[in-house]
Amino acid sequence: AVSMFLILIVVGFALVPGHDLTIVRAMNTLHTGWLGAVTTAIYFVFEPLPSIILTAVIAAMIWKLKDLRTAAAFAGLVAFTWIPSVVIKEIVHRPRPDIALMPHPFLPVQTDPSFPSGHTAFMVALFVALTYVVRGTRWHLTVVTVGTLVTACLALALAIIVPASITWGLLHP
């Protein structure tokens, strides 16, 4: 985990803001109509407060269905995987693309750093933790499949340097 933490910081500093502008602008052209509405909704549904509430609700369900220890382990794994990605984001402090250069700017303007994607890090952390909870059960393959699909959809919706968040979430636990 420490090695991955340090590698992501180095990668974050190595990425030169603006070099990915062509890709970011191309992805941003898709932010219209129903697809724009869906991607915006996904972004807001997985903001930090709703994500914390979702984690708490799932932990409560796990407590009810299994036990407190498993629920606490689930919530702890989500937190201890997600929180360091926020620390990396603050250390690297990579600016978001200039919205004036976007064909369809995302509003409201996001002022926090963009690397790594906190939304994607949360989603990977959530599904990795769920995978541990259901390992050895008939639900394991379903959770892995749904987690992969949901994370891929979220990554496409955000389209902002998500490989770092996915890597962190998968290798940290």
Side-chain angles (χ1 to χ4, degrees):
V2 171
S3 297
M4 182 52 61
F5 186 86
L6 295 173
I7 288 168
L8 287 175
I9 290 171
V10 170
V11 168
F13 282 124
L15 293 171
V16 179
H19 281 192
D20 58 349
L21 185 59
T22 303
I23 295 168
V24 172
R25 286 189 61 163
M27 293 298 290
N28 185 258
T29 63
L30 301 173
H31 196 251
T32 62
W34 70 269
L35 187 57
V38 168
T39 57
T40 298
I42 289 170
Y43 188 88
F44 285 114
V45 165
F46 294 107
E47 280 281 278
L49 182 58
S51 295
I52 292 167
I53 292 169
L54 176 63
T55 302
V57 167
I58 293 172
M61 290 171 47
I62 292 168
W63 184 7
K64 182 172 174 52
L65 296 171
K66 280 192 126 177
D67 55 57
L68 178 59
R69 182 177 178 182
T70 305
F74 164 80
L77 182 55
V78 171
F80 288 116
T81 302
W82 186 26
I83 291 169
S85 73
V86 176
V87 173
I88 294 169
K89 184 181 277 213
E90 290 302 321
I91 291 170
V92 171
H93 212 75
R94 186 176 199 276
R96 292 185 180 269
D98 184 354
I99 67 162
L101 301 175
M102 297 298 118
H104 307 286
F106 182 82
L107 298 172
V109 175
Q110 303 302 302
T111 58
D112 64 320
S114 69
F115 179 92
S117 165
H119 286 73
T120 307
F122 167 74
M123 191 58 60
V124 173
L126 181 78
F127 280 106
V128 166
L130 279 174
T131 300
Y132 282 121
V133 170
V134 299
R135 73 183 179 277
T137 71
R138 64 184 173 142
W139 295 103
H140 187 262
L141 182 59
T142 302
V143 169
V144 169
T145 303
V146 169
T148 301
L149 292 173
V150 169
T151 302
C153 288
L154 179 68
L156 288 172
L158 298 175
I160 297 175
I161 310 177
V162 296
S165 300
I166 293 171
T167 302
W168 172 257
L170 290 174
L171 297 180
H172 179 262

